[in-house]
Amino acid sequence: MGTLKTEPARNRPDLLAPPVAAALGEWPADAPVDVDEVLVAPIDAELADTAAFCAAYDVGLDVSANCVVVAGKREGVVRYAACIILATTRADVNGVARRALDVRKASFAPMAEAVELTGMEYGGITPIGLPAAWPILVDSRVIATPHVIIGSGVRHSKIALPGPALGALPNARVVEELARPA
């Protein structure tokens, strides 16, 4: 995982957004990945954006996964979902994600809305600890990656974990072709 200095995430709540720490505290004992395999590493918050982070910490874009929040309306109700994709790809928001949300049009959720609803910082939103009602759409390339780096809910750290763990999160659904090569 490049030059990151990792340790078990549940031992470092100071490096996690509160909803992420809470989700790790409730990690199921029967999960396919033990909670101690979810690692966290401090980083410079100014380097949290994917390209800058990967360059500074010698992490490949092919093992860095982004969590993008998408939204769409159906019958006047806004529906949200998180799309987990590798940094080498782009989410198919108005195709695959839109159909998964069952809405006519989907788009990236406004930053302020995503931050408020998740309790996480922009640029650090992660699938661990998202609102329970949100579907988590995980591109199949992500779970095929032995280990990936994701956000931690804050900009001053990153989480490293086995890619397959993301497909086992509550409300997660592995989706073929959720993303396309960038």
Side-chain angles (χ1 to χ4, degrees), residues 55-117:
Y57 293 94
D58 198 27
V59 171
L61 289 171
D62 60 333
V63 297
S64 183
N66 292 322
C67 178
V68 294
V69 178
V70 297
K73 277 189 181 178
R74 174 112 184 166
E75 299 172 359
V77 176
V78 179
R79 298 177 178 191
Y80 297 92
C83 296
I84 314 307
I85 60 170
L86 292 176
T88 55
T89 63
R90 297 177 61 98
D92 183 3
V93 174
N94 258 314
V96 177
R98 176 190 59 78
R99 287 190 295 276
L101 272 175
D102 192 24
V103 295
R104 290 181 53 170
K105 183 176 186 272
S107 59
F108 295 107
M111 175 183 60
E113 205 169 280
V115 167
E116 180 182 341
L117 294 171

